[in-house]
Amino acid sequence: MSIVSSLVGGILGANASNNAANAEEKGAQQAQAISQQNQTNANQNQQNVLATTTAAEQPYQTLGSTSANSLNNLLQQGFQAPTLQQAESTPGYQFQLQQGTQAIDQNAAANGTLLTGNTGTALQNYGQNLAQTAYQNTYNDALNTYMSNYNTLQGGVNSGLTSTGQVAQAGQAAANNISNTDLNAANQQGAQVNNAAAARASGYLNSAAAYGNMLGAASNGFGNLDTTGGSSALEQLGNFAFA
């Protein structure tokens, strides 16, 4: 019975080694699949975060782009100083000129000097001084308007620049995170590939060892069989097998 036991034990041992190797290999493959799924989920999450950030920054991007175009047009046109005619056509100037001239005429009429040269000179001086003051005011108003437009547009450009920087930072952070995720996943999956290969190789080796032991034991058993009485070793093995 020792030969049969050796054969059966060898076969069972080899099968057990193969089953264990298969279980370890399957576990390694499952771990690899989980790592791949985690990698995909993590990278998709990074892409979603980046897309959300980019969408949130879009209004500031649009503001910056529109402001930049308008600012470029403003700078190309430059500051346009008003003409004297434009200053004299303002409602304020016309009102002051009318009221001042009327006051001078009324005062001259009261003094009996309405048609004298002094009244004419007074009217001329008043008109020139008023025109100079009106022009200065009109110039200042135009310059203030220009600078106000410039500052407003520059503020929009700055908002766009800030937004661009934030989007760039978010993109760089996402790229770094994805790179780290891929690197870690590659290490994990590579390790599981090695584990699966090692499990399969271990199964082969253990199975071969089991078969080797089985053959060795069987060989010894055949050598020890009693051949007296005309019974050959094969006949005795057959008797053992059917006993």
Side-chain angles (χ1 to χ4, degrees):
M1 294 298 292
S2 61
I3 297 177
V4 176
S5 298
S6 297
L7 293 174
V8 173
I11 295 173
L12 292 177
N15 289 338
S17 296
N18 286 331
N19 291 337
N22 288 336
E24 292 179 5
E25 183 178 11
K26 184 177 181 180
Q29 291 172 345
Q30 289 176 343
Q32 181 183 4
I34 292 173
S35 176
Q36 290 174 338
Q37 187 60 53
N38 290 339
Q39 176 187 8
T40 299
N41 293 341
N43 289 344
Q44 185 60 55
N45 181 63
Q46 286 296 321
Q47 294 291 348
N48 292 341
V49 171
L50 179 59
T52 299
T53 301
T54 302
E57 294 291 340
Q58 187 58 49
Y60 304 99
Q61 297 280 299
T62 302
L63 174 62
S65 177
T66 303
S67 298
N69 291 333
S70 299
L71 181 60
N72 182 60
N73 293 334
L74 181 67
L75 293 176
Q76 286 183 347
Q77 294 175 1
F79 172 66
Q80 302 294 325
T83 64
L84 179 60
Q85 182 179 3
Q86 289 174 328
E88 290 177 345
S89 64
T90 60
Y93 171 80
Q94 294 296 329
F95 177 77
Q96 289 181 353
L97 180 62
Q98 178 185 6
Q99 294 297 311
T101 300
Q102 183 178 352
I104 292 173
D105 287 343
Q106 289 176 350
N107 184 61
N111 295 330
T113 59
L114 180 60
L115 300 179
T116 64
N118 290 336
T119 301
T121 300
L123 290 172
Q124 182 179 6
N125 291 337
Y126 175 76
Q128 290 177 347
N129 292 334
L130 180 61
Q132 183 177 1
T133 300
Y135 180 80
Q136 187 63 51
N137 292 336
T138 302
Y139 180 92
N140 291 338
D141 290 342
L143 181 60
N144 289 336
T145 299
Y146 180 86
M147 292 306 301
S148 178
N149 292 336
Y150 172 86
N151 291 332
T152 299
L153 294 175
Q154 186 63 57
V157 172
N158 291 340
S159 295
L161 289 174
T162 300
S163 176
T164 299
Q166 292 174 343
V167 171
Q169 290 178 357
Q172 186 62 54
N176 291 340
N177 291 336
I178 290 175
S179 177
N180 291 334
T181 298
D182 290 343
L183 180 60
N184 292 334
N187 291 334
Q188 294 172 355
Q189 294 165 27
Q192 295 305 329
V193 170
N194 290 334
N195 291 339
R200 174 51 50 198
S202 176
Y204 290 148
L205 292 175
N206 291 336
S207 179
Y211 282 122
N213 293 335
M214 176 190 71
L215 293 176
S219 177
N220 291 333
F222 279 122
N224 293 330
L225 287 176
D226 184 8
T227 59
T228 60
S231 295
S232 66
L234 292 177
E235 288 175 345
Q236 295 183 40
L237 175 60
N239 292 333
F240 287 137
F242 291 102

